[in-house]
Amino acid sequence: MRKMMIFVLLSILLSTPFVVHAESSFVTRTPNRYDELTVTKDAYEPVEEIRTFGINQRFNEAKDMFVDDMDWLYVANTKDQEILIFDEANDFVLSFGSDVLMSPTGLFVRDHVIYVADYGAPEDNQSGRIHRFAFDRETLSVTLIDSLPRPDSPVLRINDFVYRPQKIAVDENLTMYVVSEGSYNGLLMINDENRFLSFFAPNPVRGSLMDYVLQFLYGNNENARLTKKIPPSVSNVHLDGSGYIYTVTQTTIEDGFGDTLKKVNIGGINFYPTDMIAAEDFVAVATGHVENVYALTRAGFVFEYDREGTLLFVFAGSAQGTSRLGLFKNASSIATRSNGDLLILDQANNNIHVLRPTHFGQVVHEALGLYNQGKYVESQVLWEEVMRYNALFDLAHKGVGLSYYMQGDFEQAMEKFLISESKTEYSNAYWEVRNVYLLSHAGLFMVGVLLLSIGLMIVGGIDRRTAFLNPLRSSVQKIGRRPMVRELGALFYFVKNPADACYEVKVRDAVRIRTAVIYIGLLVLVYTIHLLFTGLLFTDRVLERTVYTEELMKVLIPFVSFVLGNYLVSSLMDGEGTLKAVFVNTLGALVPVLIILPVMTVLSNVLTYNEAFLYQFLLVAMIIWTTVLIFFAIKETHHYTIRETVYNILLTALMMVVMILASIMVYFMVRQVIDFIGDLMKEAIIRG
């Protein structure tokens, strides 16, 4: 009986598939609406490792790989001076090049021709080559076509250009785009006959404001010691089927935003934003089958973008201690297969990791493919499934919004565009909603305006005969005679006649400090309302992350420093204005802000991008109007000539900078003293 039970149990166990569920070795992140990376469901999972090939052979510091249109894999096995070929099942096929190659670091395959970027011998600066091999897939044979040295070009000869090919890409015209070590002029464009065409897609030179000032002042003066600014050189290149050229650069970025990844057309124009989420140590780039782009960092993190440069995921990562599938010590190359698999080469661990999209990743890619084709309605179901995995996935909300838009449900589309902060699409949907509203209510508007006009005419006629509005007029006049209201009116007089208003303030003391403080309160109130209620299309602030005190300081600190700086400078330039006069007249010059800013706030909620010029016009008018009033306020307050006023403004700006820098220094000094005293007190308490 016992044997029978054991037999039955073994039969059940053997007939049941044995599946090992392994937890992912890395965490997948995606940006939220604040561009912060947050954890999301895994979009990829590690499934395979290629460590050996042939008869227990291993990679030896391999630095590059390429997948052709048949999903065959080519690996530049750098240290062993050879190129390895694997089929679509990752089975080893053959190796070649050991009799020709010195240090292969890059490769590209087009039209059955394998292009190999050979760095050359370290001790020979002239040994760099581009080798071309013909590959016959039927007979599995490789034949050397030619080995191309540095092109014989006057541009390269004059500059004694050191030709060290590291990476290569080849377009459909067989033009080669070569990354040469240290070439800050960009990629080398070389035609099929090894003739140098030009440098391509160099990185821009970046400098500080002081660098530009010194360059402007000294120009080409040989006696001036100016630091030469050299742009960072491109570190890798990739070319996709649509003709775009992708480059990566290793350079410093700020706060995780930069342009170390570029998508360049044949004209050298970068289609990616210059402030996209990126990394400083990108080493390779590859493209997927739905126009998605993968950028690999040296530490092993993979950044996946859509075709517009919007970050979708960040996954994989750095191996700490023992090697794990999906983690890397020194990643060097990335490639993609038609089924969506990612192949990532780890130069330090001498292996290739295969990462496969999860169901979540597959749904995102399928939806993205339809989205890129403009099939927004068809993609809605998929995007909604994506949102079930991650309700804060912005691209999914945008995709659903576009589906609603195509179906004519513009209000639902607005809600989705608002969530994803897709401003252009939100503007288009709002345009349609507003048109529908105006058309349906146009008759009511016209009737309302007509009735209001008739009502005003009737009231005016009755008032002329009976004067029944006289008590109201008397009340208004009585309020207007109050000192505070009269003084506020004096400030608004700056709009009509700034010279007379300055005279009234300076000579007749027309505005008290208390009234000026109330006026400041009005300005702060108007600015606060502008912060809180400006429409989505005309603001970049995120209210949930806005610190009101900081925003207030951005306004008050420049104002206070201007008043104090102008008074101090004017005291040295024989200005006639007192500190109070400078303070009040500067406030009077800000009247345009009090008048125009509320109008801008209201318009920002009813305008679309089609009428954005109205908002911009008001903004420019407010700035110009305020600047003119400040100029006249300084001129009349201190009784300056126009030239003296210009000098005074320039010196005031300089004084403001000095005061702010001095305040920062004092703040840090006081902070250090407080920290020091605190540490002493803690030490005394502990020892006591």
Side-chain angles (χ1 to χ4, degrees):
M1 185 67 179
R2 180 179 296 177
K3 292 182 178 180
M4 181 63 69
M5 291 179 63
I6 294 174
F7 177 77
V8 172
L9 288 173
L10 287 175
S11 300
I12 295 173
L13 289 173
L14 291 175
S15 62
T16 303
F18 184 75
V19 181
V20 177
H21 296 280
E23 184 180 356
S24 177
S25 56
F26 52 76
V27 175
T28 302
R29 292 179 172 85
T30 188
N32 60 17
R33 63 177 303 189
Y34 312 115
D35 287 331
E36 298 172 339
L37 295 180
T38 58
V39 177
T40 187
K41 189 172 181 62
D42 287 335
Y44 293 84
E45 57 183 351
V47 295
E48 186 180 352
E49 178 186 19
I50 306 173
R51 182 175 290 273
T52 61
F53 58 92
I55 304 176
N56 292 324
Q57 292 178 275
R58 296 174 63 90
F59 301 108
N60 194 356
E61 294 188 17
K63 291 187 177 180
D64 199 16
M65 59 184 180
F66 186 87
V67 173
D68 66 11
D69 53 3
M70 298 295 291
D71 280 340
W72 282 36
L73 172 65
Y74 305 77
V75 180
N77 201 18
T78 306
K79 202 68 176 289
D80 286 345
Q81 303 173 328
E82 62 182 352
I83 304 299
L84 310 174
I85 301 180
F86 300 81
D87 63 16
E88 68 278 6
N90 296 329
D91 293 327
F92 177 67
V93 176
L94 61 91
S95 65
F96 68 92
S98 58
D99 56 336
V100 176
L101 303 174
M102 297 182 187
S103 181
T105 56
L107 52 84
F108 195 92
V109 180
R110 178 176 288 279
D111 300 333
H112 306 292
V113 176
I114 304 171
Y115 296 77
V116 180
D118 192 345
Y119 182 85
E123 65 278 1
D124 185 1
N125 288 337
Q126 305 300 323
S127 60
R129 295 287 188 274
I130 298 295
H131 305 281
R132 296 190 286 195
F133 297 88
F135 176 42
D136 189 336
R137 201 184 301 268
E138 298 293 331
T139 62
L140 297 180
S141 61
V142 177
T143 306
L144 176 66
I145 300 175
D146 51 23
S147 295
L148 307 176
R150 187 188 77 178
D152 186 17
S153 167
V155 175
L156 302 181
R157 286 201 308 270
I158 291 174
N159 296 323
D160 195 20
F161 186 85
V162 178
Y163 190 50
R164 288 293 197 183
Q166 290 182 308
K167 306 295 178 183
I168 185 172
V170 183
D171 66 15
E172 59 183 8
N173 297 319
L174 304 184
T175 300
M176 297 176 284
Y177 298 83
V178 180
V179 175
S180 182
E181 183 182 52
S183 176
Y184 57 83
N185 291 315
L187 304 171
L188 280 75
M189 287 182 63
I190 304 172
N191 71 1
D192 187 45
E193 299 175 353
N194 200 36
R195 183 168 64 88
F196 174 72
L197 302 177
S198 66
F199 289 106
F200 181 77
N203 288 307
V205 179
R206 291 185 174 88
S208 63
L209 177 61
M210 183 59 66
D211 294 328
Y212 292 113
V213 171
L214 291 176
Q215 185 66 35
F216 175 78
L217 293 176
Y218 292 100
N220 297 321
N221 188 346
E222 296 180 356
N223 296 322
R225 295 185 177 182
L226 302 178
T227 302
K228 186 177 181 180
K229 294 293 181 180
I230 298 177
S233 57
V234 175
S235 56
N236 209 333
V237 61
H238 177 77
L239 194 146
D240 67 3
S242 61
Y244 285 105
I245 300 166
Y246 299 84
T247 65
V248 294
T249 304
Q250 296 181 15
T251 185
T252 303
I253 61 177
E254 295 183 5
D255 300 325
F257 292 85
D259 59 349
T260 50
L261 172 64
K262 293 184 174 66
K263 177 183 179 180
V264 184
N265 67 1
I266 193 63
I269 299 175
N270 179 24
F271 281 84
Y272 279 165
T274 57
D275 58 348
M276 61 192 292
I277 301 175
E280 296 182 347
D281 60 338
F282 282 149
V283 294
V285 58
T287 52
H289 63 287
V290 290
E291 300 183 66
N292 51 332
V293 179
Y294 303 92
L296 175 69
T297 71
R298 187 173 300 280
F301 291 95
V302 180
F303 288 60
E304 182 181 0
Y305 302 87
D306 68 4
R307 66 179 181 182
E308 297 174 353
T310 302
L311 183 65
L312 301 177
F313 303 109
V314 178
F315 54 95
S318 180
Q320 303 295 332
T322 59
S323 177
R324 295 184 63 185
L325 188 61
L327 300 178
F328 309 89
K329 285 187 177 180
N330 186 6
S332 60
S333 183
I334 185 170
T336 62
R337 282 204 165 109
S338 59
N339 64 351
D341 283 1
L342 292 181
L343 290 83
I344 302 175
L345 177 62
D346 191 337
Q347 180 179 338
N349 282 328
N350 291 315
N351 57 3
I352 296 174
H353 300 234
V354 180
L355 276 60
R356 183 161 297 159
T358 62
H359 178 69
F360 173 55
Q362 291 174 351
V363 173
V364 170
H365 291 159
E366 189 175 349
L368 186 61
L370 294 173
Y371 175 90
N372 290 338
Q373 298 174 42
K375 298 179 180 180
Y376 304 124
V377 178
E378 294 86 341
S379 69
Q380 180 176 348
V381 175
L382 295 171
W383 286 128
E384 288 174 345
E385 184 176 354
V386 171
M387 287 190 289
R388 284 195 289 271
Y389 287 103
N390 185 349
L392 300 179
F393 202 82
D394 283 346
L395 187 58
H397 286 282
K398 182 179 179 181
V400 173
L402 287 170
S403 174
Y404 284 134
Y405 184 88
M406 296 300 294
Q407 298 176 65
D409 192 347
F410 303 116
E411 293 185 359
Q412 289 276 13
M414 281 179 59
E415 292 182 8
K416 290 299 182 180
F417 294 147
L418 181 63
I419 295 173
S420 62
E421 292 195 348
S422 305
K423 294 186 177 182
T424 301
E425 292 77 13
Y426 180 89
S427 174
N428 295 335
Y430 179 62
W431 170 277
E432 299 292 345
V433 171
R434 192 183 61 182
N435 283 348
V436 172
Y437 181 84
L438 291 176
L439 289 174
S440 60
H441 293 81
L444 293 177
F445 286 147
M446 296 178 64
V447 171
V449 171
L450 180 61
L451 292 177
L452 180 61
S453 301
I454 294 173
L456 291 175
M457 293 174 60
I458 293 173
V459 170
I462 295 174
D463 181 60
R464 284 193 295 272
R465 289 193 298 270
T466 63
F468 78 98
L469 292 179
N470 283 345
L472 179 61
R473 294 192 187 93
S474 299
S475 299
V476 172
Q477 292 173 359
K478 185 177 180 180
I479 294 173
R481 287 192 295 268
R482 292 181 178 178
M484 188 173 296
V485 177
R486 187 174 65 251
E487 291 171 10
L488 288 174
L491 286 171
F492 278 88
Y493 191 60
F494 272 86
V495 175
K496 183 177 180 180
N497 195 326
D500 288 348
C502 288
Y503 177 82
E504 292 291 331
V505 170
K506 183 174 68 173
V507 178
R508 298 186 179 180
D509 199 19
V511 180
R512 294 172 296 177
I513 293 295
R514 182 175 64 181
T515 305
V517 172
I518 293 174
Y519 183 79
I520 291 178
L522 290 175
L523 286 172
V524 170
L525 177 62
V526 168
Y527 182 69
T528 303
I529 293 173
H530 179 71
L531 284 177
L532 295 176
F533 298 105
T534 298
L536 170 69
L537 303 181
F538 298 94
T539 183
D540 294 323
R541 294 185 183 89
V542 179
L543 289 180
E544 297 89 335
R545 295 299 179 92
T546 301
V547 180
Y548 179 70
T549 54
E550 291 182 1
E551 295 294 332
L552 194 59
M553 289 300 103
K554 292 177 184 178
V555 177
L556 293 181
I557 289 177
F559 173 77
V560 173
S561 60
F562 176 83
V563 172
L564 294 177
N566 183 261
Y567 174 71
L568 294 175
V569 170
S570 302
S571 299
L572 299 175
M573 294 180 61
D574 298 327
E576 298 180 1
T578 63
L579 179 60
K580 177 184 176 182
V582 174
F583 172 64
V584 174
N585 286 337
T586 303
L587 280 177
L590 297 178
V591 168
V593 176
L594 203 61
I595 295 174
I596 297 179
L597 199 58
V599 179
M600 292 174 56
T601 303
V602 173
L603 288 179
S604 70
N605 288 279
V606 297
L607 297 179
T608 67
Y609 279 153
N610 294 325
E611 306 92 19
F613 69 93
L614 294 175
Y615 185 91
Q616 299 297 332
F617 173 78
L618 288 176
L619 177 62
V620 172
M622 182 180 70
I623 293 173
I624 294 176
W625 193 3
T626 302
T627 303
V628 171
L629 289 182
I630 288 176
F631 180 87
F632 280 104
I634 294 174
K635 179 178 180 297
E636 297 300 328
T637 300
H638 302 294
H639 199 64
Y640 285 152
T641 63
I642 293 179
R643 177 176 295 180
E644 291 173 336
T645 304
V646 173
Y647 289 158
N648 180 274
I649 292 175
L650 294 177
L651 291 175
T652 298
L654 180 61
M655 180 63 72
M656 290 172 63
V657 174
V658 172
M659 291 173 62
I660 292 174
L661 292 178
S663 300
I664 294 173
M665 293 176 62
V666 170
Y667 168 78
F668 283 113
M669 291 175 61
V670 172
R671 183 70 177 269
Q672 289 180 355
V673 171
I674 293 174
D675 292 341
F676 177 72
I677 295 174
D679 292 339
L680 287 178
M681 293 178 64
K682 291 178 182 178
E683 185 71 19
I685 292 172
I686 293 173
R687 291 182 179 273

